[in-house]
Amino acid sequence: MTRHLLSIDDVSAEEIQQLFATAAEMHDVQKREVKKLPALRGRTVINLFFEDSTRTRSSFEIAGKWLSADVINLSAKGSSASKGESLRDTVLTVTAMGVDGLVMRHSASGAAHQVAGWLDIPVVNAGDGTHEHPTQALLDGYTLQRQLGGPGSLEGKRIAIVGDLTHSRVFRSNVKSLTKLGASVVAVAPPTLMPAGVTDWAKADGFATSYHLDEVLPEADAVMMLRVQRERMSGGFFPTSREYTVGYGLTRQRLGMLREGAPILHPGPMNRGLEISPEAADAASSRILDQVSAGVAIRMSVLYHLLAGEESA
Amino acid sequence: MSLLIKGASVLGAAPTDVYVEGGAIREIGSLSADASADEVVDAAGLVLLPGLVDLHTHLRQPGREDAETVASGAAAAAAGGYTAVLAMANTSPVTDTAEAAVSVWELGREAGLADVFPVGAVTKGLAGEELAELSLMNRSRAGVKVFSDDGRCVSDPRVMRRALEYVKAFGGVISQHSQDPSLAPYGSACCHEGELSGRLGLPSWPGVAEEVIVARDVMLARHTGSRVHVAHASTAGTVEVLRWAKAQAEKDGSWAVTAEVTPHHLLLTTDLLAGYDPTFKVNPPLRPAEDVEALRAALADGTIDAVATDHAPHARQDKEHAFVDAAFGMLGLEEALSVVSTVMVSSGLLDWSGVARVMSTTPARIAGLEGHGRPIAVGEPANLTLADPAATYVVDRDRSLSLSRNNPWHDRKLTGRVVSTFLRGKKTYGE
Ligand SMILES: [Zn+2]
């Protein structure tokens, strides 16, 4: 594995499987009474969050603590630009205190990438703007692979990713990781929520796009619903939430179009009744809570591989 | 004070000697080998051009003297072969009064390295609402003829119409930063809209946000019978609109449209953004290769009239942010001639007289400057630039005379280089 995890581009298919294998071991730790491994004892990890995200931050925090690392949470809300300090100065100051690894969330695309160029410690991208969220994609892939039958089971499977693709870092990371694992991805959204140049991009990276959820669902082996930000409504991306739900929501009616047992994923937090109906969110095939617990295991695995030094696989 | 430039190739023609005295050219031709002057310059192998004129420079004074001052910017201009620069109005405070314009003009006179002509704001505070005191700026000693809200677009068509009408009284021109802010919001839109912006997740700046404003403005210029100048044209679509507009303007004879292109839009492409390096963040953004090709062709065939640098110095800390938070703009004065030489001359798209046209004569005409962009002829002011067409070098940003280091050409190999610059016969740059 490379020194950092900034993008799914940083890991090969084999390395993803290694991360999954380690995650599976870590996952078992969660069932123990004493949830501690000594792997990162004496190491310090900073969770530097320039943007709020309680669930991602706590997932990384728990992962670090279960590996016995000292975890420090720092929130640096508001862009550093508005405080007059450059991003470079902010991260150099924060990490000068003897830090071994940086987990970073930022509202700006590319921020983790830039920061990694200024530091000589491993950087984990915990979400950068509308660019990538690699640990989310890994936990999604891990959850799906376990559900569909273990290593290799994603090969040839058709995964639908549905929703606001333009503004979704989860989409950008997942399309890369799922494709690497051999799945065939179809990205579904209204034309206004498709990223610029997606046609060329899809051709180059080998995924499909569609404006029509009803045509895609019956063929899908799994479906991943993306969160729709309420503020997109005022951005003129679609007329009303009602119209969005009719076109692109995983409604109760659409549940019946899915193949028997096809897993339903959502990175959360959900807008119940908008992109996903309560029936779908709570369906037996919903893997939404599994994603959350897999999140800790995956992040333990990532921190272990980047920070455990010589012992690392 | 006399100056003898020996063996220079004027606009690329056969070598000759040029004798300068009292700030003007006194004699051209083969002078006797022992002809004496206070200063003799051996210009064998060098091309002599009229001093370059930049229609679009940001000098940051007043307000951000840590990034650039009129004096440091003028020094960088001289190093780039420029004898005149037009300083954009988006300083702090904005150049939107006669007093503000005169103060920039005087700072330029004190520095004495290049003639600095302030550009006046079109609207008060660049707010796009009320016209600034355009006529008072014109009547001032600074003699402002070019007006621009650059950095912002005069996006309200009613305000643009009034501005175009108003400057007709004194032959002014409105230089428009063409960016429809609802299609490409100021500050956020920072990456050419296309496959790469989709992949990188960067807020996109579609070419059409420029093209709709250019199209609208040429119609307004035609309606008002006035002059519009398109700043930093960046797309093939803009070139198409310009081609149509110029044909119409020529037929009508009562209005005019001119346009400029920057060196960076002639050479750099949007894929440089893949590494999120804010050095390459500029407004309008770098475009794909197809646009670059169209811009080169348009400059060669005259659809685009001039090269202008959009020299935009920034202090280090203003670029060391996340890409979307970093300042827009890149340096341009010192390497402009080298870039044009590399892109346009080496490829045969322009010869040296073509370079003189797009970098000196035409910009001076657009800006209404009388002492610049003149032919190299007896009696003309000795505003001159000597360049070595064969020199190849690697740009080192630390050798810049600008106070800033946001140089997109750093580490890049360029061919053709300014050797020395003369402002009214006085050497402002060179050995
Ligand atoms: Zn501009």
Side-chain angles (χ1 to χ4, degrees):
Chain A
M1 226 171 107
T2 49
R3 247 163 57 72
H4 308 287
L5 181 63
L6 306 173
S7 157
I8 292 294
D9 295 334
D10 294 335
V11 282
S12 66
E14 296 73 49
E15 286 165 335
I16 292 175
Q17 290 300 352
Q18 278 175 33
L19 285 168
F20 286 0
T22 310
E25 291 172 35
M26 302 296 183
H27 218 148
D28 293 335
V29 175
Q30 293 179 28
K31 295 176 197 135
R32 293 194 204 158
E33 205 169 322
V34 179
K35 301 180 179 63
K36 272 283 197 215
L37 292 174
L40 298 186
R41 187 181 290 146
R43 304 262 169 156
T44 303
V45 177
I46 286 202
N47 282 336
L48 180 58
F49 276 53
F50 291 87
E51 180 185 75
D52 277 337
S53 171
T54 309
R55 66 168 65 203
T56 303
R57 187 185 47 69
S58 17
S59 182
F60 271 106
E61 182 175 359
I62 294 170
K65 286 187 168 160
W66 286 356
L67 290 169
S68 303
D70 294 307
V71 180
I72 291 156
N73 291 313
L74 277 180
S75 133
K77 266 203 292 170
S79 80
S80 49
S82 66
K83 285 184 289 183
E85 185 178 51
S86 75
L87 177 62
R88 184 167 182 269
D89 287 338
T90 304
V91 296
L92 287 180
T93 306
V94 162
T95 55
M97 306 171 195
V99 173
D100 301 298
L102 176 69
V103 174
M104 188 180 124
R105 168 82 144 219
H106 201 288
S107 59
S109 301
H113 194 99
Q114 291 173 262
V115 163
W118 296 324
L119 298 179
D120 51 14
I121 54 169
V123 176
V124 179
N125 181 6
D128 62 325
T130 52
H131 179 225
E132 282 218 41
H133 195 354
T135 59
Q136 176 73 43
L138 290 172
L139 76 87
D140 291 340
Y142 172 81
T143 304
L144 277 173
Q145 181 169 295
R146 268 163 83 97
Q147 194 60 33
L148 296 173
S153 63
L154 274 163
E155 198 75 45
K157 293 291 194 308
R158 198 157 177 80
I159 316 289
I161 305 181
V162 187
D164 180 359
L165 307 176
T166 295
H167 303 97
S168 177
R169 50 192 169 213
V170 174
F171 163 66
R172 284 180 180 74
S173 284
N174 261 298
V175 76
K176 289 179 185 171
S177 61
L178 294 173
T179 310
K180 276 188 180 174
L181 294 170
S184 97
V185 172
V186 52
V188 187
T192 48
L193 291 174
M194 287 279 185
V198 74
T199 318
D200 294 334
W201 174 11
K203 204 177 290 167
D205 290 10
F207 64 96
T209 59
S210 171
Y211 303 142
H212 308 291
L213 184 55
D214 291 334
E215 289 172 12
V216 170
L217 274 188
E219 308 278 298
D221 295 296
V223 58
M224 185 181 294
M225 303 306 296
L226 300 175
R227 175 178 169 80
V228 172
Q229 307 278 326
R230 295 271 174 184
E231 61 265 29
R232 303 293 170 225
M233 308 253 321
S234 53
F237 292 95
F238 50 88
T240 60
S241 59
R242 186 172 71 137
E243 183 160 318
Y244 183 85
T245 303
V246 168
Y248 299 93
L250 192 57
T251 56
R252 188 160 49 84
Q253 295 82 341
R254 285 202 174 97
L255 264 185
M257 300 167 69
L258 271 175
R259 288 181 178 166
E260 181 78 30
I264 298 168
L265 280 75
H266 191 299
M270 292 180 279
N271 295 302
R272 282 179 185 250
L274 177 55
E275 74 267 2
I276 190 163
S277 64
E279 291 82 359
D282 301 331
S285 56
S286 166
R287 299 274 74 86
I288 295 169
L289 290 177
D290 296 334
Q291 287 174 274
V292 178
S293 78
V296 176
I298 280 289
R299 283 160 186 140
M300 287 174 81
S301 171
V302 166
L303 291 176
Y304 176 79
H305 280 273
L306 289 177
L307 291 171
E310 307 81 74
E311 303 115 296
S312 98
Chain B
M1 173 75 199
S2 57
L3 164 71
L4 176 61
I5 300 170
K6 287 186 67 74
S9 157
V10 176
L11 306 188
T16 186
D17 304 331
V18 177
Y19 181 73
V20 170
E21 194 167 28
I25 297 169
R26 299 296 171 201
E27 215 176 326
I28 297 178
S30 193
L31 303 178
S32 66
D34 58 352
S36 69
D38 297 329
E39 186 175 2
V40 179
V41 174
D42 177 10
L46 305 183
V47 170
L48 188 65
L49 302 169
L52 308 184
V53 175
D54 190 14
L55 286 167
H56 195 144
T57 308
H58 295 275
L59 294 181
R60 306 295 182 221
Q61 189 177 12
R64 283 309 299 269
E65 288 83 354
D66 59 327
E68 198 79 287
T69 61
V70 171
S72 69
Y82 287 92
T83 54
V85 297
L86 279 90
M88 278 296 168
N90 64 338
T91 47
S92 176
V94 170
T95 309
D96 58 1
T97 63
E99 293 72 19
V102 167
S103 110
V104 170
W105 181 76
E106 279 179 342
L107 285 167
R109 282 228 310 185
E110 282 163 26
L113 294 167
D115 287 345
V116 175
F117 299 97
V119 172
V122 179
T123 65
K124 288 176 190 157
L126 310 178
E129 287 159 12
E130 300 169 85
L131 294 185
E133 293 178 337
L134 307 179
S135 163
L136 288 182
M137 287 189 267
N138 176 259
R139 288 160 190 258
S140 76
R141 271 184 298 153
V144 179
K145 294 196 182 82
V146 181
F147 299 89
S148 181
D149 277 359
D150 186 58
R152 300 250 154 180
C153 181
V154 182
S155 64
D156 183 332
R158 183 186 54 85
V159 175
M160 186 62 179
R161 176 206 167 148
R162 293 299 178 218
L164 286 165
E165 281 174 343
Y166 197 76
V167 298
K168 285 173 68 179
F170 47 87
V173 59
I174 306 294
S175 170
Q176 175 74 292
H177 170 115
S178 309
Q179 174 179 7
D180 183 319
S182 41
L183 290 173
Y186 301 134
S188 64
C190 60
C191 179
H192 170 73
E193 181 171 307
E195 187 184 346
L196 191 73
S197 71
R199 285 178 184 270
L200 297 178
L202 287 174
S204 64
W205 204 130
V208 72
E210 171 173 304
E211 293 148 9
V212 293
I213 296 294
V214 175
R216 181 201 77 177
D217 285 353
V218 298
M219 299 317 276
L220 288 172
R222 179 160 84 162
H223 179 74
T224 55
S226 190
R227 290 171 59 206
V228 70
H229 175 72
V230 177
H232 43 53
S234 73
T235 77
T238 291
V239 168
E240 280 181 65
V241 174
L242 286 171
R243 199 161 275 143
W244 177 86
K246 291 199 135 186
Q248 299 307 307
E250 196 167 325
K251 245 186 273 170
D252 301 347
S254 54
W255 60 288
V257 55
T258 54
E260 67 188 36
V261 62
T262 69
H264 49 271
H265 287 112
L266 286 174
L267 178 49
L268 305 179
T269 50
T270 189
D271 47 281
L272 287 166
L273 269 53
Y276 294 101
D277 180 351
T279 307
F280 299 109
K281 179 175 173 180
V282 66
N283 202 22
L286 299 178
R287 303 290 187 188
E290 308 88 81
D291 290 312
V292 170
E293 281 305 317
L295 293 168
R296 291 177 183 181
L299 182 63
D301 73 16
T303 303
I304 290 177
D305 303 83
V307 171
T309 67
D310 197 3
H311 176 81
H314 287 294
R316 208 179 107 151
Q317 69 272 17
D318 295 325
K319 278 287 191 183
E320 288 182 339
H321 290 291
F323 191 89
V324 298
D325 298 327
F328 286 93
M330 40 181 69
L331 297 184
L333 282 169
E334 286 165 289
E335 293 82 16
L337 184 72
S338 300
V339 174
V340 171
S341 159
T342 303
V343 171
M344 303 296 292
V345 180
S346 304
S347 62
L349 282 168
L350 280 182
D351 57 15
W352 286 102
S353 71
V355 172
R357 171 168 53 81
V358 300
M359 295 188 80
S360 176
T361 318
T362 307
R365 177 178 54 73
I366 291 169
L369 307 183
E370 275 150 22
H372 291 272
R374 304 291 307 166
I376 296 178
V378 172
E380 296 289 353
N383 297 322
L384 300 166
T385 296
L386 267 176
D388 181 350
T392 291
Y393 69 110
V394 176
V395 177
D396 175 357
R397 66 179 158 220
D398 291 322
R399 296 187 58 187
S400 177
L401 296 179
S402 168
L403 296 182
S404 294
R405 292 291 173 267
N406 51 313
N407 190 323
W409 311 110
H410 180 64
D411 270 348
R412 193 177 278 263
K413 194 166 158 189
L414 298 173
T415 298
R417 185 173 202 175
V418 172
V419 174
S420 36
T421 309
F422 303 90
L423 177 64
R424 288 179 286 276
K426 183 191 136 210
K427 188 175 277 182
T428 51
Y429 174 76
E431 293 299 295

